[in-house]
Amino acid sequence: MENYSIVIFILAIMIGLSAMADKIRLPYPVLLVTAGIAIGFIPGMPQIIINPEIIFLIFLPPLLYDAAFNISLPEFRNNFRMISTLAFALVFLTTAGIAVTAYYVIPGMTWPLAFALGAILSATDAVAAMSITKGLGLPHKTITILEGESLINDASGLIAYRFAVAAVAGTSFVLWKASLEFVGLILGGCFIGWMLGRFLGFILKRVKDDHIVAISLTLLMPFVAYLLAETLGVSGVIAVVTGAIMVSLVMPKTIPEQTKVQSKAIWDIIIFLLNGLIFILIGLEFPYVIESIDHEDILPLIGYSFLICLVTLVIRMGRVYLQHIGLQNAFRKKNTRKNKRALLDWKNCLIIGWSGMRGIVSLATALALPHRLSDGTPFPERHTIIFIAIVVVLITLVVQGMGLPLLVKALRLHKTDQG
């Protein structure tokens, strides 16, 4: 009953703060994270332990599904080159950049541990990106690139994390084998998502007049796709995203308008509650993680976290502008309509570069680090990695999250700009 009361209390706080955020014009993820930290420091507040499996199985699938279902497919296709660069190449560059920084700066970091930290913090967060950019009036193209990147990069980040943790446990890393496995995980996830999307479309055509059944099937879809893909050893993230895109293509042709309206209302409520809970939970974890760190190490670790944030921001900005130059060169060589649609101006590049918030996936992967290795020895530097991961998430949400509206205002960016 005590935990039940705490959950109700947190939900009430979340709803109240979300309404308040709109009035004070503060990104609600920032407000909710801050509230979570404050609640965690309340004397006598029992510790709420986040099970990473709960995040991966309960939170991640519906949030990814909703985002992929509502993404603009024409814009996604037009900007796939930029999206894929950010979702794959940038993730691995960021992993390497953080690893090099951690190895040479943080005491006790071995190369495998440094790469594990890099993989944990390599991918931007879909929930944070959508929550903070909502209502800023950004061009559709920019929003689609940010959402598309954060939908796909979870897969590459989680795969890099898997290899890094295996290396910590003593498994040798072979590049060509890892590359083949990476491709297999992505293609396998696409196939599972495509198959389930087609199957759900087939079923929806036959139950379209039964509103409750049709909506229930769409609610069940992301969980089935994720669980099936992970059970078969392929990417659950890619399976959910692919399945959502397939269903988004089928539903307008098969589902009555009334069912679409009801489905959207239900999904909006679910996503609102999940979004709010995620950011509250991120804040709640912080006070308890501090307890596992020696007090004299806290300030240096916070300093390392700021340095890692700076490194990731520089790498991201550099990669975005290099891609921008590449797109311009491609347009000069082949002055086609497709290449022109993919062009971005420097303002949008700056917004995309700045919008590299980390979030719930980074937190979940950090907490998912095993307590012990296969030989029974404790996982080295586990508390340090978790602490740095949470601090980096908080820094990106607060600094970049609060800075983004100011940057958009300073640039005087409008939906019509390159949109």
Side-chain angles (χ1 to χ4, degrees):
M1 283 299 294
E2 183 183 19
N3 289 336
Y4 178 78
S5 301
I6 292 170
V7 171
I8 297 299
F9 170 70
I10 290 173
L11 284 172
I13 292 291
M14 179 203 76
I15 293 170
L17 289 176
S18 297
M20 188 187 303
D22 290 335
K23 294 185 178 180
I24 63 178
R25 295 185 178 181
L26 185 69
Y28 82 84
V30 176
L31 194 59
L32 293 177
V33 166
T34 307
I37 295 174
I39 293 170
F41 279 114
I42 294 175
M45 183 73 178
Q47 182 177 2
I48 298 177
I49 299 173
I50 302 178
N51 186 336
E53 291 298 321
I54 296 296
I55 293 174
F56 288 131
L57 293 176
I58 303 299
F59 284 88
L60 194 58
L63 292 170
L64 289 173
Y65 181 91
D66 180 71
F69 183 88
N70 292 303
I71 200 167
S72 170
L73 289 180
E75 288 285 4
F76 185 85
R77 285 192 295 266
N78 292 338
N79 297 282
F80 185 74
R81 186 173 171 181
M82 173 69 86
I83 291 170
S84 60
T85 296
L86 298 178
F88 297 114
L90 180 60
V91 165
F92 299 127
L93 279 173
T94 304
T95 300
I98 294 174
V100 171
T101 304
Y103 179 77
Y104 286 107
V105 173
I106 303 175
M109 280 285 171
T110 62
W111 278 117
L113 289 173
F115 271 99
L117 177 60
I120 287 169
L121 296 171
S122 60
T124 58
D125 186 67
V127 180
M130 289 180 294
S131 301
I132 292 176
T133 57
K134 185 179 180 181
L136 293 181
L138 295 178
H140 295 301
K141 179 186 293 186
T142 304
I143 292 173
T144 302
I145 290 172
L146 291 173
E147 291 183 357
E149 172 204 0
S150 55
L151 285 174
I152 302 173
N153 67 9
D154 285 340
S156 47
L158 290 171
I159 292 167
Y161 168 80
R162 183 186 303 182
F163 289 134
V165 172
V168 175
T171 304
S172 59
F173 179 82
V174 182
L175 181 60
W176 70 268
K177 287 184 179 179
S179 301
L180 284 178
E181 186 175 346
F182 175 76
V183 173
L185 289 169
I186 298 296
L187 293 179
C190 287
F191 176 74
I192 295 294
W194 174 83
M195 181 185 68
L196 288 176
R198 292 292 298 269
F199 179 71
L200 181 59
F202 175 80
I203 298 296
L204 287 176
K205 288 180 182 178
R206 283 146 184 81
V207 298
K208 60 183 179 180
D209 295 325
D210 192 329
H211 307 317
I212 295 177
V213 171
I215 295 171
S216 299
L217 286 172
T218 62
L219 293 174
L220 194 61
M221 167 70 181
F223 302 103
V224 173
Y226 187 88
L227 191 58
L228 179 60
E230 291 294 322
T231 302
L232 295 175
V234 297
S235 174
V237 170
I238 296 297
V240 172
V241 172
T242 306
I245 291 174
M246 292 297 298
V247 175
S248 71
L249 295 173
V250 172
M251 276 192 70
K253 304 173 186 176
T254 58
I255 300 297
E257 193 62 34
Q258 182 183 358
T259 305
K260 294 178 193 173
V261 173
Q262 292 176 344
S263 177
K264 186 178 186 309
I266 292 172
W267 270 103
D268 285 347
I269 294 171
I270 291 173
I271 298 304
F272 169 74
L273 293 175
L274 291 178
N275 275 343
L277 279 174
I278 279 175
F279 293 114
I280 287 274
L281 290 174
I282 289 175
L284 278 172
E285 281 300 298
F286 186 67
Y288 302 108
V289 172
I290 289 180
E291 294 177 2
S292 63
I293 301 292
D294 292 335
H295 290 297
E296 61 269 18
D297 293 335
I298 290 176
L299 285 179
L301 289 177
I302 291 175
Y304 301 147
S305 302
F306 271 100
L307 179 60
I308 287 172
C309 288
L310 180 61
V311 168
T312 57
L313 184 61
V314 169
I315 292 173
R316 182 176 178 84
M317 286 286 189
R319 192 65 193 90
V320 168
Y321 276 99
L322 282 175
Q323 185 67 17
H324 167 62
I325 293 169
L327 290 171
Q328 286 184 324
N329 291 336
F331 177 67
R332 292 191 190 100
K333 291 178 182 177
K334 288 187 178 182
N335 191 345
T336 64
R337 191 173 177 182
K338 180 180 178 181
N339 287 335
K340 185 177 181 180
R341 286 197 297 260
L343 288 177
L344 289 166
D345 60 16
W346 69 271
K347 290 183 179 180
N348 283 280
C349 287
L350 185 57
I351 293 294
I352 292 169
W354 182 262
S355 304
M357 288 75 70
R358 270 60 183 173
I360 193 65
V361 175
S362 293
L363 175 62
T365 49
L367 294 173
L369 287 170
H371 290 273
R372 294 188 177 274
L373 301 176
S374 56
D375 60 0
T377 58
F379 192 96
E381 304 295 336
R382 184 177 187 272
H383 293 310
T384 299
I385 292 174
I386 293 174
F387 182 85
I388 291 174
I390 292 180
V391 173
V392 168
V393 169
L394 293 175
I395 291 170
T396 60
L397 286 176
V398 174
V399 177
Q400 291 173 246
M402 292 184 67
L404 187 59
L406 300 176
L407 184 61
V408 171
K409 186 177 180 180
L411 294 174
R412 298 180 181 178
L413 205 62
H414 304 287
K415 288 187 177 182
T416 54
D417 296 339
Q418 293 280 336

